Amino acid sequence: MMTLTFPDGNQREYSVGTTGMDVAESISKSLAKASVAIEVDGELRDLMRPIEGNAAISIVKRDDEDGLELIRHDAAHILAEAVQELFPGTQVTIGPVIENGFYYDFARDEPFSTEDLEKIEKKMHDIVDANENFVREVWNRDDAIKHFKSIGEHYKAELIADLPKDETITIYRQGEWLDLCRGPHMVNTKQIGHAFKLMKVAGAYWRGNSDNAMLTRIYGTAWRTEKELEEYLTMLEEAEKRDHRKLGKELELFHFQEEAQGSVFWHPKGYTIYNQLENYIRRRIYDDGYVEVKTPQLMDRKFWEASGHWGKFRENMFVVPDVVPNTDEDGPVFKEEPKDFMALKPMNCPAHVQIFKQSIKSYRDLPIRMAEMGCCHRNEAHGALHGLMRVRQMVQDDAHIFCREDQIRDEVKRFIALFNNVYKDFGFEDIKIFLATRPDVRAGADEVWDRAEKAMADALDDLGIAFEYAEGEGAFYGPKYEFHLKDAIGRSWQCGTCQLDFVLPERLDASYIGEDGNKHRPVMIHRAVFGTFERFIGILIESTGGKMPMWLAPTQCVVAPITSDAEGYAQKIYETLKEKGLRADIDLRNEKINFKIREHSLQKVPKIFVVGKREEEAGTVAIRTLGGKDQEILSLDEAITKIVDMAKPPF
RNA sequence: GCUGUCGUAGCUCAGUGGUAGAGCACACCCUUGGUAAGGGUGAGGUCGGGAGUUCAAUCCUCCUCGACAGCACCA
């Protein structure tokens, strides 16, 4: 006999080898029906797998969070079965669960078409209805490799061969079809249900390495109920409407064109937002003890060789020949092969070191917080470009803090405080923070890394801020924080960053005179709050759906007279608003008030001042707020005082 | 960069092997209308670029450029 302990602490005796299903049935028929797996001493297992001894158990129902994971995992398996049945000769590789669903990578010469996807989905429903049991089998490693090789599944054979020596090789069978899998699975295919949908086909490299073959990946989404699936699909549709590229066009904020791919053409409205952000962050950092500089865009190759960028970052740089171009019509661009090169700066840091080095610095001068709204160019791969989120020309709200090692912790904390204040002003709450630690290839002694990583972790702990480690993801010159925000459809983008650097001051020979009268190396902290204006505005557009807070709105208020009789009054109000510093507009077009309201509402103007004869006679304005239905009638003075107040930036 | 899909008017999109269409926007006219589209008329396109097949290509084929999705990349 063995003793099983339930989550509520109750214990019951069962004979050794009892399965989770037996346990569930011993409790109630309905529980047995709802159960899909069991947790045994914290390990999720198949319900049909015998339990070998005393254990703490917890039955997992289909409705549980773990149940949803299993649904998605099982769905990936039946996707693979469906594909192999419909397209013999297709090799299976891996098929994990991901956020909101699952995918499976296949090796096949022909790509899958949209019609194929429909067929596959239909077949998957058939497999669910066939209600096959998922059966776990333990195989001998060599037999498994031999088996998969014999049926032409070379990727699977490779996977098995690469599994750790002590790993048990488990195979799951559903009907005729089997797959290498760690498990667990639900009891049968019927438990998957029908709330799934195949979403898209895409290429993906075998084992995530671009030197390997490209496989075909099929993405699917799966849920517990049809309702959940519907809700998810509706959410996606809604999110698409908030796509910053779409809104950027609709709201006339910016555009891109092929002659300048990856570089933004900011339109007046978009650039208004940009400028407001720049003014805001400038006020913030000036208040926080920064000085601001501006450095060259184009610098000689020798400079980048010294900084290390020529060697480590060149493939991402735009390199320009330092020669006068040939002016002969129809001639070559250059008369002779250029020998000297310059490069557009991909980063601001080396230039900041030059400013630092222009005079002898004392330890008393530190920390120096040197900021630049630095315009950088990076030669990003074509496939990486993505609206404002990933561009080739970007402006960072960059700064480098030159400090002593014993100042790191305070400086980092100070930055986090600044960062928090700023993000609070924008209402960003879903911020993911990573501490990226030492990578395999790195510069600097391990004990320096120890201190640096500890200083950064301590700073967050001191402030009570939760974070996750991104092991091995740090820069080669030091550990860093990554602050991630999500776009409309949940893709995560790194915005703010804070990086410790022990290498660049060394390479570029930056030093200060310490208390002891000797030269010392300063530490550099690279940091950005927004990250880049481009990406930050992209995220801002998606998170607000284009409805900018009043202080950022390109047009804060439109004065709309109802008839031409009220134009004089409207004009007067408009001029007053302008005098008060508001970004106001007046709509004198020969259009009905309905039309004007609709248009400015679609343009997401936060306030519309509607004025007709009545308002003129009473000296009032009828204020319509974006998204609201009711109007508010205020005296002109009150209205102006109120709107001026609302338009104030948060800092 | 890789795989796939797409590329028609300023925007959103329809369409056909016989040299193109809608709605919105734009221009002009009528309309002075009280909180999300008043009416009429008109102008506007070498159908991304190049080559090929064909009597004939926006449509078929190839190349190329760009956009989109995913992958790889992301100091």
Side-chain angles (χ1 to χ4, degrees):
Chain A
M1 295 299 277
M2 60 181 179
T3 307
L4 298 185
T5 309
F6 293 88
D8 60 4
N10 278 339
Q11 297 191 324
R12 276 169 81 166
E13 298 283 316
Y14 291 90
S15 54
V16 171
T18 298
T19 68
M21 182 58 104
D22 297 332
V23 175
E25 270 171 350
S26 75
I27 295 166
S28 80
K29 258 248 144 57
S30 60
L31 177 64
K33 221 175 147 190
S35 306
V36 291
I38 184 167
E39 212 179 279
V40 181
D41 287 334
E43 184 200 352
L44 202 60
R45 285 199 196 173
D46 300 318
L47 207 55
M48 304 309 287
R49 192 166 151 193
I51 302 165
E52 275 100 20
N54 298 347
I57 61 144
S58 165
I59 303 243
V60 176
K61 297 196 289 290
R62 190 174 182 279
D63 289 343
D64 297 337
E65 236 1 84
D66 282 341
L68 184 55
E69 291 262 309
L70 290 167
I71 289 170
R72 289 170 179 165
H73 182 193
D74 290 6
H77 273 244
I78 62 162
L79 163 61
E81 180 184 349
V83 165
Q84 292 207 310
E85 214 167 295
L86 290 168
F87 306 96
T90 304
Q91 291 187 63
V92 290
T93 67
I94 55 158
V97 171
I98 51 171
E99 197 175 3
N100 300 322
F102 59 93
Y103 68 76
Y104 210 111
D105 285 348
F106 301 96
R108 181 172 182 250
D109 295 337
E110 295 262 304
F112 294 106
S113 67
T114 319
E115 294 85 73
D116 292 340
L117 226 53
E118 280 168 30
K119 266 190 246 159
I120 296 166
E121 196 174 299
K122 203 160 163 288
K123 177 63 82 181
M124 287 172 69
H125 286 291
D126 293 345
I127 296 170
V128 168
D129 288 335
N131 195 19
E132 297 284 1
N133 287 333
F134 286 104
V135 182
R136 178 178 186 269
E137 297 172 8
V138 175
W139 282 32
N140 168 283
R141 174 183 299 253
D142 293 337
D143 290 347
I145 295 174
K146 215 189 273 168
H147 168 78
F148 282 106
K149 274 192 178 155
S150 76
I151 57 170
E153 296 284 4
H154 302 290
Y155 289 95
K156 277 288 175 200
E158 189 183 322
L159 281 176
I160 298 169
D162 287 352
L163 284 175
K165 288 268 178 300
D166 53 347
E167 181 112 356
T168 313
I169 311 291
T170 54
I171 300 288
Y172 277 80
R173 220 181 253 284
Q174 66 217 44
E176 298 287 294
W177 196 80
L178 54 81
D179 194 4
L180 166 76
C181 182
R182 191 179 293 119
H185 281 278
M186 297 190 286
V187 180
N188 53 55
T189 58
K190 195 152 201 164
Q191 288 179 321
I192 297 167
H194 290 282
F196 59 81
K197 185 174 162 56
L198 297 183
M199 305 294 283
K200 58 198 171 198
V201 189
Y205 296 110
W206 167 235
R207 299 196 147 174
N209 185 335
S210 57
D211 295 331
N212 291 341
M214 170 126 326
L215 308 171
T216 300
R217 175 172 298 179
I218 297 180
Y219 282 93
T221 185
W223 301 84
R224 286 169 283 213
T225 61
E226 291 288 337
K227 187 162 168 272
E228 279 184 347
L229 174 63
E230 281 307 312
E231 280 169 2
Y232 174 68
L233 295 176
T234 309
M235 188 277 289
L236 277 187
E237 269 173 45
E238 288 302 310
E240 268 172 41
K241 294 182 192 156
R242 299 205 311 270
D243 188 313
H244 75 280
R245 294 165 299 186
K246 188 175 151 69
L247 286 168
K249 208 178 277 179
E250 286 170 6
L251 303 179
E252 302 169 50
L253 302 177
F254 57 84
H255 86 268
F256 290 92
Q257 62 188 52
E258 49 179 282
E259 294 86 349
Q261 42 180 296
S263 298
V264 190
F265 288 79
W266 287 106
H267 293 205
K269 288 181 185 177
Y271 200 51
T272 300
I273 298 174
Y274 183 114
N275 275 327
Q276 292 309 314
L277 287 176
E278 185 169 333
N279 295 342
Y280 164 87
I281 199 71
R282 192 168 272 136
R283 289 191 295 270
R284 276 287 189 193
I285 60 172
Y286 279 32
D287 183 65
D288 205 31
Y290 286 74
V291 290
E292 189 178 358
V293 299
K294 198 80 179 171
T295 60
Q297 213 59 48
L298 202 53
M299 282 180 274
D300 196 273
R301 158 193 189 151
K302 291 185 200 79
F303 179 80
W304 299 111
E305 279 171 350
S307 72
H309 289 81
W310 194 259
K312 294 221 189 274
F313 204 69
R314 190 160 25 130
E315 68 168 333
N316 286 304
M317 289 165 68
F318 287 100
V319 175
V320 183
D322 185 15
V323 290
V324 178
N326 182 19
T327 49
D328 295 348
E329 247 177 277
D330 304 325
V333 182
F334 303 111
K335 273 195 173 143
E336 52 201 85
E337 188 68 14
K339 284 196 273 305
D340 300 318
F341 294 96
M342 303 185 85
L344 287 169
K345 67 172 169 184
M347 299 180 199
N348 307 301
C349 31
H352 291 184
V353 177
Q354 306 312 309
I355 295 181
F356 179 90
K357 281 173 63 182
Q358 289 302 303
S359 64
I360 304 276
K361 294 289 186 295
S362 151
Y363 70 96
R364 295 173 206 274
D365 295 324
L366 304 183
I368 293 173
R369 306 188 189 94
M370 193 185 290
E372 177 172 3
M373 304 302 159
C375 177
C376 295
H377 288 81
R378 293 184 194 175
N379 201 342
E380 303 284 359
H382 288 76
L385 301 176
H386 183 91
L388 292 178
M389 303 299 195
R390 192 81 182 268
V391 290
R392 285 179 157 174
Q393 180 190 301
M394 70 213 80
V395 180
Q396 300 172 316
D397 64 321
D398 202 8
H400 295 92
I401 301 169
F402 296 87
C403 66
R404 292 180 262 122
E405 210 180 308
D406 62 283
Q407 292 174 317
I408 291 175
R409 189 156 150 174
D410 280 349
E411 284 306 312
V412 165
K413 277 167 83 170
R414 190 185 181 105
F415 172 70
I416 301 271
L418 172 67
F419 176 90
N420 273 338
N421 286 333
V422 171
Y423 277 47
K424 209 178 293 159
D425 283 342
F426 291 92
F428 290 135
E429 275 157 17
D430 188 10
I431 309 164
K432 194 116 193 184
I433 304 176
F434 294 97
L435 173 49
T437 57
R438 67 194 81 184
D440 292 339
V441 182
R442 59 178 180 267
D446 277 355
E447 64 263 24
V448 180
W449 277 90
D450 289 342
R451 285 203 300 276
E453 285 170 5
K454 184 159 188 311
M456 293 193 82
D458 286 351
L460 288 175
D461 286 338
D462 284 357
L463 295 160
I465 292 168
F467 66 97
E468 283 176 32
Y469 280 98
E471 301 288 352
E473 299 279 307
F476 74 92
Y477 50 72
K480 63 175 181 175
Y481 297 136
E482 295 180 2
F483 301 91
H484 289 248
L485 291 174
K486 285 190 171 171
D487 71 8
I489 66 167
R491 285 177 294 216
S492 180
W493 299 92
Q494 183 192 318
C495 291
T497 185
C498 179
Q499 319 178 357
L500 293 193
D501 183 354
F502 304 100
V503 174
L504 201 60
E506 181 81 34
R507 282 199 77 115
L508 297 178
D509 193 26
S511 62
Y512 67 89
I513 309 297
E515 239 170 320
D516 56 7
N518 295 323
K519 273 191 179 182
H520 297 273
R521 288 280 171 231
V523 176
M524 271 176 95
I525 303 174
H526 307 237
R527 41 105 293 162
V529 183
F530 294 155
T532 67
F533 283 86
E534 287 78 5
R535 183 176 286 181
F536 194 78
I537 293 173
I539 294 278
L540 196 57
I541 291 169
E542 301 210 350
S543 68
T544 58
K547 281 191 195 179
M548 290 292 149
M550 190 86 165
W551 69 282
L552 288 172
T555 303
Q556 293 169 315
C557 180
V558 168
V559 185
I562 290 169
T563 64
S564 49
D565 296 347
E567 274 182 18
Y569 184 54
Q571 196 71 245
K572 184 183 126 195
I573 297 171
Y574 168 64
E575 275 155 24
T576 311
L577 289 170
K578 296 290 261 188
E579 269 168 37
K580 297 281 182 187
L582 269 112
R583 294 188 293 277
D585 218 335
I586 183 165
D587 188 349
L588 297 176
R589 291 176 303 173
N590 178 12
E591 294 291 353
K592 286 189 160 184
I593 193 65
N594 284 351
F595 183 86
K596 293 183 184 178
I597 297 274
R598 175 182 158 80
E599 207 157 77
H600 301 302
S601 299
L602 287 173
Q603 282 294 307
K604 323 264 191 218
V605 175
K607 297 284 173 188
I608 304 174
F609 280 11
V610 179
V611 290
K613 267 205 165 135
R614 291 210 296 262
E615 284 73 19
E616 180 168 13
E617 279 160 18
T620 58
V621 288
I623 305 174
R624 186 182 163 111
T625 300
L626 180 59
K629 283 194 199 101
D630 303 326
Q631 54 174 337
E632 184 185 11
I633 311 245
L634 290 182
S635 76
L636 184 52
D637 286 350
E638 280 177 308
I640 299 223
T641 311
K642 192 169 177 183
I643 197 168
V644 165
D645 189 53
M646 282 189 295
K648 276 198 190 119
F651 190 88

